[in-house]
Amino acid sequence: MKDFPPTRRARLNGASFEFVLEGAGEPTLVLLNGAGGPVEAWWRIFPDLVRMSRVFAHNRPGVGGSDPPRQAQTSAAVIDDTQALLLHAGVGGPLVLVGHSFGALHALKWASDAPAQVIGLVLIEGATAGDIRQGSIDKPRWMVRVEQALGHLSRAHSLSETAIAEAIADEVADIRSLAIPVAVITGARSGGWTTPRAFREGRAERQAGLAQLSPDGWQVTAARSGHFPQITEPDLVTDVIRQVIERAVQIRPVAAEPYS
């Protein structure tokens, strides 16, 4: 990870956050990590993204050097923190959001709530409300026992996003359409024999459904990837992000004045 820049620090409302902000130009790419994932998880695509435009990412509360959460990490709370950090860093808009796994839930809500600010969306192995709800039903008994055992060894913070996943599912469940380019990257090898067939089939439908949220939406299969295409197929992911930027700017040219 020698090409990944050092993190910076910001203190907002009494809490400390780690973030990176590199590159120049608009729209700004905002990278939203999966649950518990650090900013360094983007290391394989970060240098190429910085050559495209300005790029922002941060460690959410409890990750890396960011302080533990002080409030429930709902999508609304995550978006508020991220917007405050962007404002602190002097970044307004327009934005293209890139959400991986659980970060896709926050990206979906942000795009739905702030259509004047978010002009494009890339969802990498994106979680959905349906994944959370079906996952709580269709887990095999042995998997539940393993998770309970691991939970005793490393208990998640009670305010973390995974601890309140059902509440986050409720936040995004009613999103039906987006009027921006939406690209969905799905790993062909995501989920294996340990994942119940009913869940795999349901998730495949939901991945296709994410692309159908927008009339300018499409799905890309990462043939050699599981849950982390940005690591296993960085060129593919980078190319999709480039396509979204190009389409987004073509539809809505970057304004002279920053979005609020």
Side-chain angles (χ1 to χ4, degrees):
M1 290 184 274
K2 63 181 180 179
D3 293 329
F4 201 85
T7 57
R8 310 185 201 179
R9 284 193 168 275
R11 192 160 189 85
L12 302 173
N13 299 320
S16 180
F17 292 88
E18 282 186 326
F19 72 96
V20 290
L21 179 65
E22 297 288 326
E26 294 183 337
T28 300
L29 288 168
V30 176
L31 311 181
L32 295 165
N33 316 324
V39 291
E40 289 83 4
W42 301 102
W43 71 278
R44 290 212 69 187
I45 65 173
F46 200 88
D48 286 335
L49 298 184
V50 168
R51 284 189 280 271
M52 286 186 212
S53 196
R54 180 168 52 189
V55 186
F56 173 90
H58 78 293
N59 284 329
R60 296 201 286 277
V63 177
S66 292
D67 285 348
R70 299 183 175 191
Q71 61 177 325
Q73 291 299 289
T74 61
S75 283
V78 169
I79 294 164
D80 284 347
D81 282 346
T82 312
Q83 288 178 325
L85 281 166
L86 288 168
L87 183 63
H88 171 85
V91 178
L95 309 176
V96 169
L97 307 181
V98 181
H100 172 243
S101 190
F102 227 83
L105 295 164
H106 309 317
L108 276 171
K109 180 165 175 58
W110 194 343
S112 178
D113 288 354
Q117 187 180 50
V118 179
I119 66 170
L121 197 58
V122 181
L123 306 176
I124 305 170
E125 272 289 292
T128 68
D131 293 338
I132 292 170
R133 290 169 175 170
Q134 188 183 3
S136 64
I137 296 170
D138 285 339
K139 283 181 184 175
R141 195 173 303 169
W142 69 264
M143 187 180 293
V144 173
R145 288 199 296 267
V146 169
E147 288 180 350
Q148 288 171 343
L150 291 174
H152 288 301
L153 296 174
S154 179
R155 191 173 300 280
H157 196 288
S158 61
L159 298 176
S160 70
E161 51 203 317
T162 51
I164 59 160
E166 293 284 351
I168 294 174
D170 290 342
E171 288 182 285
V172 301
D174 293 332
I175 297 174
R176 294 288 180 264
S177 64
L178 297 169
I180 56 175
V182 176
V184 176
I185 302 175
T186 304
R189 300 179 182 178
S190 183
W193 65 270
T194 59
T195 306
R197 179 178 177 180
F199 185 84
R200 291 199 308 269
E201 293 175 347
R203 189 170 187 278
E205 292 179 3
R206 291 187 288 271
Q207 286 288 293
L210 287 174
Q212 294 164 8
L213 287 172
S214 170
D216 190 13
W218 70 100
Q219 184 179 14
V220 176
T221 299
R224 304 191 307 277
S225 297
H227 195 52
F228 294 90
Q230 68 270 38
I231 294 176
T232 49
E233 295 183 71
D235 291 343
L236 179 146
V237 173
T238 300
D239 186 57
V240 171
I241 293 172
R242 181 182 292 108
Q243 289 178 49
V244 170
I245 291 174
E246 290 172 353
R247 291 195 192 198
V249 171
Q250 184 178 21
I251 293 168
R252 194 190 312 177
V254 173
E257 295 296 325
Y259 291 77
S260 59

